[in-house]
Amino acid sequence: MVSLRFDEELRVFLATGRRGGDVSVPADGTSTLGHLVEAAGVPLTEVGSMRVDGRDEPPSYRPGGGETVEVGPVRRPQRVESAGFLLDVHLGTLARRLRVLGVDTAYHNDSDDDELIEQANAERRVLLTRDRGLLRRRRLWAGAYVRGERPDDQLADVLDRFAPDLAPWTRCTACNGLLEPVAKEDVAHLLEPGTRREYDSFARCRACGRAYWPGAHRPHLSAIVRRAGGR
């Protein structure tokens, strides 16, 4: 048998009855350490270190039995080669908030699991999801579990884990395109009469052409930016 000793931060992924202590699993001599950890319910995307009887070992290590493995979480902030994210279909509000902060965030509300993996791999984006099974897919190059049920908590978790560079008010919340300042007369045909009358400062998305201005929603979004440290 092999004893898996999970850090407190990782115990949320274990079945309720296995969260109180070490998890004992059979050692057959062929299963890798990575396989045993994931079989216990913990995606390898969430694992930062695995120490076998005090020595570091990779996921490919094959334990022989009688060993104790200390499994630690990913160290924060986590550095990744890509600055871009891809969010699954259940994280639409989080996607919009990341875009408000200027974080490169791809999102479609109709992508299935295979399409998400294909896009994440092709564009070298980190796939953010609350689907643990999706994170265990072998083809996925990089992913992360988003903690929290509420969008505020989810945003705080992503910012804490990855510490992305923030550039508030520079991305389109609808399509992720970059915004550029634009003269009022250039977008006047897109505006309601009241908007034309009340506002003079505008931006437009280079990709989809959507117009933006500091409307009634701005105080709420500004509060999100302030909490994120983006000023």
Side-chain angles (χ1 to χ4, degrees), residues 81-118:
E81 67 178 68
S82 171
F85 298 102
L86 171 63
L87 276 61
D88 78 11
V89 297
H90 303 292
L91 297 175
T93 300
L94 176 60
R96 289 189 292 274
R97 294 189 178 193
L98 285 170
R99 288 172 177 176
V100 166
L101 295 173
V103 179
D104 183 5
T105 305
Y107 170 80
H108 304 283
N109 62 8
D110 57 355
S111 297
D112 62 27
D113 288 357
D114 288 335
E115 290 170 335
L116 287 169
I117 292 174
E118 182 178 351

Side-chain angles (χ1 to χ4, degrees), residues 22-164:
D22 292 1
V23 177
S24 295
V25 296
D28 55 17
T30 60
S31 295
T32 65
L33 186 53
H35 173 78
L36 295 178
V37 168
E38 289 205 316
V42 181
L44 286 182
T45 59
E46 308 311 298
V47 173
S49 64
M50 290 182 283
R51 294 181 60 81
V52 180
D53 291 339
R55 66 184 187 277
D56 291 325
E57 294 290 355
S60 58
Y61 175 77
R62 287 178 165 78
E67 296 165 308
T68 297
V69 183
E70 297 176 75
V71 186
V74 170
R75 294 183 63 180
R76 300 187 177 212
Q78 180 182 356
R79 300 304 180 188
V80 292
E81 67 178 68
S82 171
F85 298 102
L86 171 63
L87 276 61
D88 78 11
V89 297
H90 303 292
L91 297 175
T93 300
L94 176 60
R96 289 189 292 274
R97 294 189 178 193
L98 285 170
R99 288 172 177 176
V100 166
L101 295 173
V103 179
D104 183 5
T105 305
Y107 170 80
H108 304 283
N109 62 8
D110 57 355
S111 297
D112 62 27
D113 288 357
D114 288 335
E115 290 170 335
L116 287 169
I117 292 174
E118 182 178 351
Q119 183 178 357
N121 292 348
E123 300 178 8
R124 308 305 281 178
R125 294 179 178 273
V126 179
L127 177 59
L128 302 183
T129 180
R130 287 179 55 78
D131 184 340
R132 305 173 193 181
L134 183 54
L135 291 175
R136 291 198 292 267
R137 297 280 286 271
R138 296 295 182 186
R139 292 192 298 115
L140 179 62
W141 89 281
Y145 181 79
V146 177
R147 295 171 182 262
E149 298 287 344
R150 300 168 57 249
D152 284 348
D153 298 330
Q154 293 170 353
L155 179 61
D157 179 59
V158 173
L159 297 181
D160 177 68
R161 177 162 177 173
F162 294 101

Side-chain angles (χ1 to χ4, degrees), residues 101 166 168-169 218-231:
L101 295 173
L166 305 183
W169 320 115
R218 187 68 172 234
H220 172 65
L221 297 179
S222 294
I224 293 173
V225 172
R226 285 195 301 273
R227 287 196 299 270
R231 299 300 175 189

